[in-house]
Amino acid sequence: MSVLRPGDITDEMIQVMDTARRQGLQKDLRTLAASIRADAEGQYDSADPGWRAGVEWALLWIENTASQLTEGRS
């Protein structure tokens, strides 16, 4: 097995690795949001409005963050 040297890693390789990392983080954030949503669904009926608003805010923040990870990137 050959060893990679710093000059062996191209800008294209770095961009591909960065894209893969961002897509992985995006998937993890969306999985987290789905888990929070599923756990909160049964709680909405008995929860106070502030709690519901907090859950909705957190879900919106997670989705916005996930979207920004790949926004404007190819």
Short mmCIF file of all heavy atoms in Angstrom, two decimals:
data_model
loop_
_atom_site.label_atom_id
_atom_site.label_comp_id
_atom_site.label_asym_id
_atom_site.label_seq_id
_atom_site.Cartn_x
_atom_site.Cartn_y
_atom_site.Cartn_z
N MET A 1 0.85 -1.17 0.00
CA MET A 1 0.00 0.00 0.00
C MET A 1 0.90 1.24 0.00
O MET A 1 1.81 1.35 0.79
CB MET A 1 -0.90 -0.03 1.23
CG MET A 1 -1.80 1.15 1.35
SD MET A 1 -2.80 1.02 2.84
CE MET A 1 -4.40 1.10 2.09
N SER A 2 0.62 2.17 -0.90
CA SER A 2 1.42 3.38 -0.97
C SER A 2 0.93 4.41 0.03
O SER A 2 -0.24 4.43 0.40
CB SER A 2 1.39 3.95 -2.39
OG SER A 2 0.09 4.33 -2.73
N VAL A 3 1.82 5.26 0.42
CA VAL A 3 1.51 6.30 1.40
C VAL A 3 1.22 7.60 0.65
O VAL A 3 1.95 7.97 -0.26
CB VAL A 3 2.69 6.50 2.38
CG1 VAL A 3 2.41 7.63 3.34
CG2 VAL A 3 2.98 5.22 3.12
N LEU A 4 0.15 8.27 1.02
CA LEU A 4 -0.16 9.56 0.41
C LEU A 4 0.73 10.64 1.01
O LEU A 4 0.93 10.71 2.22
CB LEU A 4 -1.62 9.94 0.65
CG LEU A 4 -2.66 9.24 -0.21
CD1 LEU A 4 -4.06 9.67 0.25
CD2 LEU A 4 -2.49 9.55 -1.67
N ARG A 5 1.24 11.48 0.16
CA ARG A 5 2.01 12.63 0.59
C ARG A 5 1.15 13.87 0.38
O ARG A 5 0.22 13.84 -0.42
CB ARG A 5 3.30 12.72 -0.24
CG ARG A 5 4.25 11.60 0.09
CD ARG A 5 5.53 11.74 -0.77
NE ARG A 5 5.96 10.41 -1.17
CZ ARG A 5 5.64 9.80 -2.30
NH1 ARG A 5 4.92 10.40 -3.22
NH2 ARG A 5 6.06 8.59 -2.56
N PRO A 6 1.46 14.97 1.07
CA PRO A 6 0.61 16.17 0.95
C PRO A 6 0.35 16.59 -0.51
O PRO A 6 -0.74 17.00 -0.84
CB PRO A 6 1.40 17.24 1.71
CG PRO A 6 2.14 16.47 2.74
CD PRO A 6 2.51 15.16 2.06
N GLY A 7 1.29 16.47 -1.39
CA GLY A 7 1.11 16.85 -2.79
C GLY A 7 0.22 15.89 -3.56
O GLY A 7 -0.25 16.21 -4.65
N ASP A 8 -0.02 14.71 -3.00
CA ASP A 8 -0.84 13.71 -3.67
C ASP A 8 -2.34 14.00 -3.55
O ASP A 8 -3.15 13.47 -4.30
CB ASP A 8 -0.58 12.31 -3.10
CG ASP A 8 0.84 11.82 -3.37
OD1 ASP A 8 1.48 12.33 -4.31
OD2 ASP A 8 1.29 10.93 -2.63
N ILE A 9 -2.71 14.81 -2.58
CA ILE A 9 -4.13 15.12 -2.34
C ILE A 9 -4.48 16.37 -3.14
O ILE A 9 -3.98 17.45 -2.88
CB ILE A 9 -4.40 15.33 -0.84
CG1 ILE A 9 -4.04 14.05 -0.07
CG2 ILE A 9 -5.85 15.73 -0.61
CD1 ILE A 9 -4.11 14.20 1.43
N THR A 10 -5.35 16.20 -4.10
CA THR A 10 -5.73 17.31 -4.98
C THR A 10 -6.86 18.13 -4.37
O THR A 10 -7.55 17.69 -3.44
CB THR A 10 -6.19 16.78 -6.35
OG1 THR A 10 -7.40 16.03 -6.16
CG2 THR A 10 -5.13 15.90 -7.00
N ASP A 11 -7.04 19.32 -4.92
CA ASP A 11 -8.16 20.17 -4.48
C ASP A 11 -9.49 19.48 -4.72
O ASP A 11 -10.43 19.61 -3.93
CB ASP A 11 -8.13 21.52 -5.21
CG ASP A 11 -7.00 22.42 -4.75
OD1 ASP A 11 -6.45 22.17 -3.64
OD2 ASP A 11 -6.66 23.35 -5.48
N GLU A 12 -9.58 18.72 -5.82
CA GLU A 12 -10.82 17.99 -6.11
C GLU A 12 -11.09 16.93 -5.04
O GLU A 12 -12.23 16.76 -4.61
CB GLU A 12 -10.72 17.33 -7.48
CG GLU A 12 -11.98 16.60 -7.88
CD GLU A 12 -11.88 15.93 -9.24
OE1 GLU A 12 -10.82 16.00 -9.88
OE2 GLU A 12 -12.87 15.31 -9.64
N MET A 13 -10.05 16.25 -4.59
CA MET A 13 -10.21 15.24 -3.54
C MET A 13 -10.68 15.90 -2.25
O MET A 13 -11.57 15.37 -1.57
CB MET A 13 -8.90 14.49 -3.31
CG MET A 13 -8.47 13.62 -4.47
SD MET A 13 -6.78 13.04 -4.28
CE MET A 13 -7.02 11.68 -3.15
N ILE A 14 -10.13 17.04 -1.93
CA ILE A 14 -10.52 17.76 -0.72
C ILE A 14 -11.98 18.20 -0.81
O ILE A 14 -12.75 18.07 0.14
CB ILE A 14 -9.60 18.98 -0.48
CG1 ILE A 14 -8.19 18.48 -0.12
CG2 ILE A 14 -10.14 19.90 0.60
CD1 ILE A 14 -7.13 19.56 -0.11
N GLN A 15 -12.39 18.69 -2.00
CA GLN A 15 -13.77 19.12 -2.19
C GLN A 15 -14.74 17.94 -2.07
O GLN A 15 -15.80 18.06 -1.45
CB GLN A 15 -13.93 19.77 -3.56
CG GLN A 15 -15.31 20.34 -3.78
CD GLN A 15 -15.43 21.04 -5.13
OE1 GLN A 15 -14.55 20.99 -5.97
NE2 GLN A 15 -16.56 21.69 -5.33
N VAL A 16 -14.37 16.79 -2.62
CA VAL A 16 -15.22 15.60 -2.53
C VAL A 16 -15.35 15.16 -1.07
O VAL A 16 -16.44 14.81 -0.61
CB VAL A 16 -14.68 14.46 -3.42
CG1 VAL A 16 -15.35 13.15 -3.12
CG2 VAL A 16 -14.84 14.83 -4.88
N MET A 17 -14.24 15.16 -0.33
CA MET A 17 -14.29 14.78 1.09
C MET A 17 -15.15 15.75 1.89
O MET A 17 -15.93 15.34 2.75
CB MET A 17 -12.88 14.71 1.67
CG MET A 17 -12.08 13.52 1.17
SD MET A 17 -10.46 13.35 1.96
CE MET A 17 -9.59 14.74 1.28
N ASP A 18 -15.03 17.06 1.59
CA ASP A 18 -15.82 18.06 2.29
C ASP A 18 -17.31 17.87 2.00
O ASP A 18 -18.15 17.94 2.91
CB ASP A 18 -15.37 19.47 1.88
CG ASP A 18 -16.12 20.55 2.63
OD1 ASP A 18 -16.10 20.54 3.88
OD2 ASP A 18 -16.75 21.40 1.97
N THR A 19 -17.64 17.61 0.74
CA THR A 19 -19.04 17.39 0.36
C THR A 19 -19.60 16.17 1.07
O THR A 19 -20.72 16.20 1.60
CB THR A 19 -19.16 17.22 -1.17
OG1 THR A 19 -18.73 18.44 -1.79
CG2 THR A 19 -20.58 16.93 -1.59
N ALA A 20 -18.83 15.09 1.12
CA ALA A 20 -19.29 13.87 1.80
C ALA A 20 -19.50 14.12 3.29
O ALA A 20 -20.49 13.65 3.87
CB ALA A 20 -18.28 12.75 1.59
N ARG A 21 -18.61 14.88 3.89
CA ARG A 21 -18.74 15.20 5.32
C ARG A 21 -20.00 16.03 5.57
O ARG A 21 -20.78 15.75 6.49
CB ARG A 21 -17.51 15.96 5.80
CG ARG A 21 -17.53 16.32 7.27
CD ARG A 21 -16.29 17.10 7.67
NE ARG A 21 -16.12 18.34 6.94
CZ ARG A 21 -16.71 19.49 7.24
NH1 ARG A 21 -17.53 19.56 8.28
NH2 ARG A 21 -16.51 20.57 6.52
N ARG A 22 -20.23 17.03 4.74
CA ARG A 22 -21.41 17.89 4.88
C ARG A 22 -22.70 17.09 4.69
O ARG A 22 -23.67 17.27 5.42
CB ARG A 22 -21.36 19.04 3.89
CG ARG A 22 -20.34 20.09 4.26
CD ARG A 22 -20.21 21.15 3.16
NE ARG A 22 -19.29 22.18 3.55
CZ ARG A 22 -19.59 23.23 4.31
NH1 ARG A 22 -20.82 23.36 4.75
NH2 ARG A 22 -18.69 24.12 4.62
N GLN A 23 -22.71 16.19 3.70
CA GLN A 23 -23.90 15.38 3.46
C GLN A 23 -24.15 14.43 4.64
O GLN A 23 -25.30 14.19 5.01
CB GLN A 23 -23.76 14.60 2.16
CG GLN A 23 -23.88 15.49 0.94
CD GLN A 23 -23.58 14.77 -0.36
OE1 GLN A 23 -22.94 13.73 -0.38
NE2 GLN A 23 -24.02 15.35 -1.46
N GLY A 24 -23.09 13.90 5.22
CA GLY A 24 -23.24 13.04 6.40
C GLY A 24 -23.81 13.80 7.58
O GLY A 24 -24.71 13.32 8.28
N LEU A 25 -23.30 15.01 7.81
CA LEU A 25 -23.82 15.85 8.90
C LEU A 25 -25.28 16.23 8.64
O LEU A 25 -26.11 16.22 9.56
CB LEU A 25 -22.98 17.11 9.04
CG LEU A 25 -21.58 16.93 9.62
CD1 LEU A 25 -20.79 18.24 9.50
CD2 LEU A 25 -21.65 16.48 11.07
N GLN A 26 -25.59 16.52 7.39
CA GLN A 26 -26.96 16.87 7.03
C GLN A 26 -27.90 15.70 7.32
O GLN A 26 -28.97 15.88 7.91
CB GLN A 26 -27.00 17.24 5.54
CG GLN A 26 -28.32 17.78 5.07
CD GLN A 26 -28.25 18.16 3.61
OE1 GLN A 26 -27.90 17.33 2.78
NE2 GLN A 26 -28.58 19.40 3.29
N LYS A 27 -27.49 14.51 6.96
CA LYS A 27 -28.31 13.32 7.21
C LYS A 27 -28.49 13.10 8.72
O LYS A 27 -29.59 12.81 9.18
CB LYS A 27 -27.65 12.09 6.58
CG LYS A 27 -28.43 10.83 6.78
CD LYS A 27 -27.73 9.63 6.16
CE LYS A 27 -28.50 8.37 6.48
NZ LYS A 27 -27.77 7.18 6.08
N ASP A 28 -27.40 13.25 9.48
CA ASP A 28 -27.49 13.08 10.93
C ASP A 28 -28.44 14.10 11.57
O ASP A 28 -29.22 13.75 12.47
CB ASP A 28 -26.11 13.20 11.58
CG ASP A 28 -25.19 12.03 11.27
OD1 ASP A 28 -25.69 10.99 10.76
OD2 ASP A 28 -23.98 12.14 11.53
N LEU A 29 -28.39 15.35 11.12
CA LEU A 29 -29.27 16.38 11.67
C LEU A 29 -30.73 16.08 11.34
O LEU A 29 -31.61 16.25 12.19
CB LEU A 29 -28.88 17.76 11.14
CG LEU A 29 -27.64 18.38 11.77
CD1 LEU A 29 -27.22 19.61 10.98
CD2 LEU A 29 -27.89 18.73 13.22
N ARG A 30 -30.97 15.62 10.14
CA ARG A 30 -32.36 15.31 9.77
C ARG A 30 -32.86 14.08 10.52
O ARG A 30 -34.05 14.00 10.85
CB ARG A 30 -32.46 15.15 8.25
CG ARG A 30 -32.32 16.53 7.59
CD ARG A 30 -32.65 16.54 6.15
NE ARG A 30 -32.74 17.93 5.71
CZ ARG A 30 -32.24 18.38 4.58
NH1 ARG A 30 -31.64 17.55 3.75
NH2 ARG A 30 -32.35 19.64 4.25
N THR A 31 -31.99 13.14 10.80
CA THR A 31 -32.37 11.97 11.60
C THR A 31 -32.70 12.43 13.02
O THR A 31 -33.68 11.97 13.63
CB THR A 31 -31.23 10.93 11.62
OG1 THR A 31 -31.00 10.49 10.27
CG2 THR A 31 -31.56 9.75 12.50
N LEU A 32 -31.91 13.34 13.56
CA LEU A 32 -32.17 13.89 14.89
C LEU A 32 -33.52 14.59 14.92
O LEU A 32 -34.32 14.39 15.86
CB LEU A 32 -31.06 14.87 15.29
CG LEU A 32 -31.27 15.65 16.58
CD1 LEU A 32 -31.32 14.71 17.78
CD2 LEU A 32 -30.17 16.69 16.75
N ALA A 33 -33.81 15.41 13.91
CA ALA A 33 -35.09 16.12 13.86
C ALA A 33 -36.25 15.13 13.80
O ALA A 33 -37.27 15.33 14.48
CB ALA A 33 -35.13 17.06 12.66
N ALA A 34 -36.12 14.09 13.01
CA ALA A 34 -37.18 13.08 12.92
C ALA A 34 -37.40 12.39 14.26
O ALA A 34 -38.54 12.12 14.66
CB ALA A 34 -36.84 12.06 11.84
N SER A 35 -36.32 12.13 14.97
CA SER A 35 -36.42 11.48 16.28
C SER A 35 -37.11 12.40 17.29
O SER A 35 -37.98 11.97 18.05
CB SER A 35 -35.03 11.10 16.77
OG SER A 35 -35.08 10.52 18.04
N ILE A 36 -36.73 13.67 17.29
CA ILE A 36 -37.36 14.64 18.19
C ILE A 36 -38.85 14.76 17.86
O ILE A 36 -39.70 14.76 18.75
CB ILE A 36 -36.66 16.01 18.10
CG1 ILE A 36 -35.25 15.93 18.69
CG2 ILE A 36 -37.49 17.10 18.79
CD1 ILE A 36 -34.41 17.16 18.43
N ARG A 37 -39.16 14.86 16.59
CA ARG A 37 -40.56 14.99 16.16
C ARG A 37 -41.38 13.78 16.62
O ARG A 37 -42.47 13.93 17.15
CB ARG A 37 -40.62 15.13 14.64
CG ARG A 37 -41.98 15.48 14.10
CD ARG A 37 -41.97 15.75 12.60
NE ARG A 37 -41.30 17.02 12.32
CZ ARG A 37 -40.12 17.14 11.71
NH1 ARG A 37 -39.47 16.08 11.31
NH2 ARG A 37 -39.58 18.33 11.49
N ALA A 38 -40.83 12.58 16.42
CA ALA A 38 -41.55 11.36 16.80
C ALA A 38 -41.75 11.29 18.32
O ALA A 38 -42.83 10.92 18.80
CB ALA A 38 -40.79 10.13 16.31
N ASP A 39 -40.72 11.67 19.07
CA ASP A 39 -40.83 11.64 20.54
C ASP A 39 -41.81 12.69 21.06
O ASP A 39 -42.50 12.48 22.06
CB ASP A 39 -39.47 11.85 21.19
CG ASP A 39 -38.56 10.65 21.07
OD1 ASP A 39 -39.05 9.55 20.71
OD2 ASP A 39 -37.35 10.79 21.31
N ALA A 40 -41.88 13.83 20.37
CA ALA A 40 -42.73 14.93 20.85
C ALA A 40 -44.19 14.76 20.46
O ALA A 40 -45.07 15.31 21.14
CB ALA A 40 -42.20 16.26 20.30
N GLU A 41 -44.47 14.01 19.42
CA GLU A 41 -45.85 13.92 18.92
C GLU A 41 -46.85 13.52 20.00
O GLU A 41 -47.90 14.12 20.13
CB GLU A 41 -45.93 12.95 17.75
CG GLU A 41 -45.59 13.60 16.44
CD GLU A 41 -45.71 12.65 15.26
OE1 GLU A 41 -46.16 11.50 15.45
OE2 GLU A 41 -45.34 13.06 14.16
N GLY A 42 -46.55 12.54 20.78
CA GLY A 42 -47.46 12.10 21.83
C GLY A 42 -47.56 13.06 22.99
O GLY A 42 -48.47 12.97 23.81
N GLN A 43 -46.65 13.98 23.09
CA GLN A 43 -46.60 14.92 24.21
C GLN A 43 -47.37 16.21 23.94
O GLN A 43 -47.68 16.95 24.86
CB GLN A 43 -45.14 15.30 24.48
CG GLN A 43 -44.20 14.14 24.61
CD GLN A 43 -44.13 13.61 26.03
OE1 GLN A 43 -44.43 14.33 26.97
NE2 GLN A 43 -43.74 12.37 26.18
N TYR A 44 -47.67 16.50 22.67
CA TYR A 44 -48.27 17.79 22.32
C TYR A 44 -49.60 18.07 23.02
O TYR A 44 -49.88 19.19 23.42
CB TYR A 44 -48.48 17.90 20.81
CG TYR A 44 -47.27 18.41 20.07
CD1 TYR A 44 -46.73 17.68 19.02
CD2 TYR A 44 -46.67 19.61 20.41
CE1 TYR A 44 -45.62 18.14 18.33
CE2 TYR A 44 -45.56 20.07 19.75
CZ TYR A 44 -45.04 19.34 18.70
OH TYR A 44 -43.94 19.80 18.03
N ASP A 45 -50.44 17.07 23.16
CA ASP A 45 -51.77 17.30 23.73
C ASP A 45 -51.71 17.82 25.16
O ASP A 45 -52.51 18.66 25.54
CB ASP A 45 -52.59 16.01 23.68
CG ASP A 45 -52.90 15.59 22.25
OD1 ASP A 45 -52.88 16.47 21.36
OD2 ASP A 45 -53.13 14.40 22.02
N SER A 46 -50.77 17.32 25.94
CA SER A 46 -50.72 17.72 27.35
C SER A 46 -49.67 18.79 27.63
O SER A 46 -49.57 19.26 28.75
CB SER A 46 -50.43 16.49 28.21
OG SER A 46 -49.17 15.93 27.86
N ALA A 47 -48.91 19.18 26.63
CA ALA A 47 -47.82 20.14 26.86
C ALA A 47 -48.33 21.58 26.80
O ALA A 47 -49.30 21.89 26.11
CB ALA A 47 -46.75 19.94 25.81
N ASP A 48 -47.63 22.45 27.53
CA ASP A 48 -48.01 23.86 27.47
C ASP A 48 -47.51 24.47 26.15
O ASP A 48 -46.59 23.93 25.52
CB ASP A 48 -47.46 24.62 28.69
CG ASP A 48 -45.94 24.66 28.70
OD1 ASP A 48 -45.38 25.49 27.96
OD2 ASP A 48 -45.33 23.88 29.45
N PRO A 49 -48.09 25.58 25.73
CA PRO A 49 -47.73 26.18 24.45
C PRO A 49 -46.25 26.54 24.33
O PRO A 49 -45.67 26.46 23.26
CB PRO A 49 -48.61 27.42 24.38
CG PRO A 49 -49.76 27.14 25.28
CD PRO A 49 -49.20 26.26 26.37
N GLY A 50 -45.63 26.94 25.43
CA GLY A 50 -44.20 27.28 25.40
C GLY A 50 -43.33 26.09 25.05
O GLY A 50 -42.36 26.21 24.31
N TRP A 51 -43.69 24.94 25.57
CA TRP A 51 -42.94 23.72 25.26
C TRP A 51 -43.09 23.37 23.79
O TRP A 51 -42.13 23.07 23.10
CB TRP A 51 -43.44 22.57 26.13
CG TRP A 51 -42.68 21.30 25.96
CD1 TRP A 51 -41.54 20.94 26.62
CD2 TRP A 51 -42.99 20.23 25.06
NE1 TRP A 51 -41.13 19.70 26.19
CE2 TRP A 51 -41.99 19.24 25.24
CE3 TRP A 51 -43.99 20.00 24.13
CZ2 TRP A 51 -41.98 18.06 24.51
CZ3 TRP A 51 -43.99 18.83 23.41
CH2 TRP A 51 -42.99 17.87 23.61
N ARG A 52 -44.32 23.45 23.29
CA ARG A 52 -44.56 23.15 21.87
C ARG A 52 -43.79 24.11 20.98
O ARG A 52 -43.19 23.72 19.99
CB ARG A 52 -46.05 23.21 21.56
CG ARG A 52 -46.82 22.04 22.15
CD ARG A 52 -48.23 21.97 21.60
NE ARG A 52 -49.02 23.17 21.84
CZ ARG A 52 -49.89 23.31 22.83
NH1 ARG A 52 -50.10 22.33 23.67
NH2 ARG A 52 -50.55 24.42 22.96
N ALA A 53 -43.81 25.39 21.33
CA ALA A 53 -43.09 26.40 20.55
C ALA A 53 -41.59 26.12 20.57
O ALA A 53 -40.91 26.29 19.56
CB ALA A 53 -43.38 27.79 21.09
N GLY A 54 -41.09 25.67 21.71
CA GLY A 54 -39.66 25.35 21.82
C GLY A 54 -39.28 24.17 20.94
O GLY A 54 -38.24 24.18 20.27
N VAL A 55 -40.13 23.17 20.90
CA VAL A 55 -39.88 22.00 20.05
C VAL A 55 -39.91 22.42 18.58
O VAL A 55 -39.02 22.07 17.80
CB VAL A 55 -40.90 20.87 20.31
CG1 VAL A 55 -40.79 19.77 19.25
CG2 VAL A 55 -40.69 20.28 21.70
N GLU A 56 -40.91 23.20 18.21
CA GLU A 56 -41.02 23.65 16.82
C GLU A 56 -39.82 24.51 16.43
O GLU A 56 -39.29 24.40 15.33
CB GLU A 56 -42.33 24.42 16.59
CG GLU A 56 -43.56 23.55 16.69
CD GLU A 56 -43.56 22.41 15.68
OE1 GLU A 56 -43.10 22.60 14.54
OE2 GLU A 56 -44.02 21.31 16.04
N TRP A 57 -39.38 25.38 17.34
CA TRP A 57 -38.21 26.22 17.07
C TRP A 57 -36.97 25.35 16.86
O TRP A 57 -36.19 25.57 15.94
CB TRP A 57 -37.98 27.20 18.22
CG TRP A 57 -36.78 28.07 17.98
CD1 TRP A 57 -36.76 29.26 17.34
CD2 TRP A 57 -35.42 27.77 18.33
NE1 TRP A 57 -35.47 29.74 17.29
CE2 TRP A 57 -34.64 28.85 17.88
CE3 TRP A 57 -34.80 26.72 18.98
CZ2 TRP A 57 -33.25 28.90 18.06
CZ3 TRP A 57 -33.42 26.75 19.15
CH2 TRP A 57 -32.67 27.83 18.71
N ALA A 58 -36.79 24.35 17.73
CA ALA A 58 -35.62 23.47 17.62
C ALA A 58 -35.65 22.70 16.30
O ALA A 58 -34.62 22.58 15.62
CB ALA A 58 -35.58 22.49 18.80
N LEU A 59 -36.81 22.21 15.91
CA LEU A 59 -36.92 21.48 14.64
C LEU A 59 -36.62 22.39 13.46
O LEU A 59 -35.92 21.99 12.52
CB LEU A 59 -38.31 20.86 14.51
CG LEU A 59 -38.62 19.74 15.49
CD1 LEU A 59 -40.09 19.34 15.37
CD2 LEU A 59 -37.71 18.54 15.27
N LEU A 60 -37.11 23.62 13.50
CA LEU A 60 -36.84 24.58 12.43
C LEU A 60 -35.35 24.91 12.36
O LEU A 60 -34.76 24.96 11.28
CB LEU A 60 -37.67 25.85 12.64
CG LEU A 60 -37.53 26.92 11.58
CD1 LEU A 60 -37.98 26.40 10.22
CD2 LEU A 60 -38.36 28.15 11.97
N TRP A 61 -34.73 25.12 13.51
CA TRP A 61 -33.30 25.43 13.56
C TRP A 61 -32.48 24.28 12.99
O TRP A 61 -31.55 24.49 12.21
CB TRP A 61 -32.87 25.73 14.99
CG TRP A 61 -31.44 26.14 15.08
CD1 TRP A 61 -30.93 27.39 14.95
CD2 TRP A 61 -30.31 25.27 15.29
NE1 TRP A 61 -29.56 27.35 15.07
CE2 TRP A 61 -29.15 26.06 15.28
CE3 TRP A 61 -30.18 23.90 15.49
CZ2 TRP A 61 -27.89 25.54 15.46
CZ3 TRP A 61 -28.91 23.38 15.66
CH2 TRP A 61 -27.78 24.19 15.64
N ILE A 62 -32.81 23.05 13.37
CA ILE A 62 -32.09 21.88 12.88
C ILE A 62 -32.22 21.77 11.36
O ILE A 62 -31.24 21.56 10.65
CB ILE A 62 -32.57 20.59 13.57
CG1 ILE A 62 -32.15 20.59 15.04
CG2 ILE A 62 -32.04 19.34 12.87
CD1 ILE A 62 -32.82 19.51 15.88
N GLU A 63 -33.43 21.94 10.85
CA GLU A 63 -33.66 21.85 9.40
C GLU A 63 -32.92 22.96 8.65
O GLU A 63 -32.31 22.72 7.61
CB GLU A 63 -35.15 21.88 9.07
CG GLU A 63 -35.45 21.72 7.61
CD GLU A 63 -34.85 20.47 6.97
OE1 GLU A 63 -34.87 19.40 7.59
OE2 GLU A 63 -34.33 20.58 5.84
N ASN A 64 -32.97 24.18 9.17
CA ASN A 64 -32.24 25.29 8.54
C ASN A 64 -30.74 25.03 8.52
O ASN A 64 -30.07 25.29 7.52
CB ASN A 64 -32.55 26.61 9.24
CG ASN A 64 -33.91 27.13 8.91
OD1 ASN A 64 -34.52 26.76 7.91
ND2 ASN A 64 -34.44 28.00 9.76
N THR A 65 -30.23 24.53 9.62
CA THR A 65 -28.80 24.22 9.69
C THR A 65 -28.43 23.12 8.70
O THR A 65 -27.43 23.22 7.99
CB THR A 65 -28.41 23.80 11.12
OG1 THR A 65 -28.74 24.87 12.02
CG2 THR A 65 -26.93 23.49 11.23
N ALA A 66 -29.26 22.08 8.64
CA ALA A 66 -29.00 20.98 7.69
C ALA A 66 -29.03 21.49 6.25
O ALA A 66 -28.17 21.13 5.45
CB ALA A 66 -30.03 19.87 7.89
N SER A 67 -29.98 22.34 5.93
CA SER A 67 -30.09 22.88 4.58
C SER A 67 -28.87 23.72 4.20
O SER A 67 -28.40 23.67 3.07
CB SER A 67 -31.35 23.72 4.43
OG SER A 67 -32.49 22.91 4.57
N GLN A 68 -28.36 24.47 5.14
CA GLN A 68 -27.22 25.34 4.88
C GLN A 68 -25.94 24.57 4.61
O GLN A 68 -25.01 25.09 4.00
CB GLN A 68 -27.00 26.31 6.04
CG GLN A 68 -28.08 27.35 6.14
CD GLN A 68 -27.96 28.20 7.40
OE1 GLN A 68 -26.96 28.13 8.11
NE2 GLN A 68 -28.96 29.01 7.66
N LEU A 69 -25.88 23.32 5.05
CA LEU A 69 -24.67 22.53 4.86
C LEU A 69 -24.36 22.27 3.38
O LEU A 69 -23.21 22.11 3.00
CB LEU A 69 -24.77 21.19 5.60
CG LEU A 69 -24.65 21.30 7.11
CD1 LEU A 69 -25.01 19.97 7.76
CD2 LEU A 69 -23.24 21.70 7.50
N THR A 70 -25.39 22.20 2.56
CA THR A 70 -25.16 21.93 1.13
C THR A 70 -25.69 23.05 0.24
O THR A 70 -25.61 22.94 -0.98
CB THR A 70 -25.81 20.59 0.72
OG1 THR A 70 -27.18 20.61 1.04
CG2 THR A 70 -25.14 19.42 1.40
N GLU A 71 -26.21 24.09 0.82
CA GLU A 71 -26.77 25.20 0.04
C GLU A 71 -25.67 25.88 -0.77
O GLU A 71 -24.61 26.22 -0.25
CB GLU A 71 -27.40 26.21 1.00
CG GLU A 71 -28.22 27.28 0.34
CD GLU A 71 -28.90 28.13 1.39
OE1 GLU A 71 -29.98 27.72 1.85
OE2 GLU A 71 -28.33 29.17 1.76
N GLY A 72 -25.90 26.05 -2.06
CA GLY A 72 -24.93 26.74 -2.91
C GLY A 72 -23.69 25.95 -3.20
O GLY A 72 -22.69 26.49 -3.66
N ARG A 73 -23.70 24.67 -2.94
CA ARG A 73 -22.54 23.81 -3.21
C ARG A 73 -22.93 22.76 -4.23
O ARG A 73 -24.05 22.34 -4.29
CB ARG A 73 -22.06 23.13 -1.94
CG ARG A 73 -21.59 24.13 -0.92
CD ARG A 73 -21.11 23.42 0.32
NE ARG A 73 -20.76 24.37 1.34
CZ ARG A 73 -19.55 24.89 1.48
NH1 ARG A 73 -18.59 24.53 0.69
NH2 ARG A 73 -19.31 25.74 2.44
N SER A 74 -21.96 22.36 -5.03
CA SER A 74 -22.25 21.30 -6.00
C SER A 74 -21.60 20.00 -5.62
O SER A 74 -20.80 19.93 -4.75
CB SER A 74 -21.78 21.73 -7.38
OG SER A 74 -20.43 22.11 -7.35
#
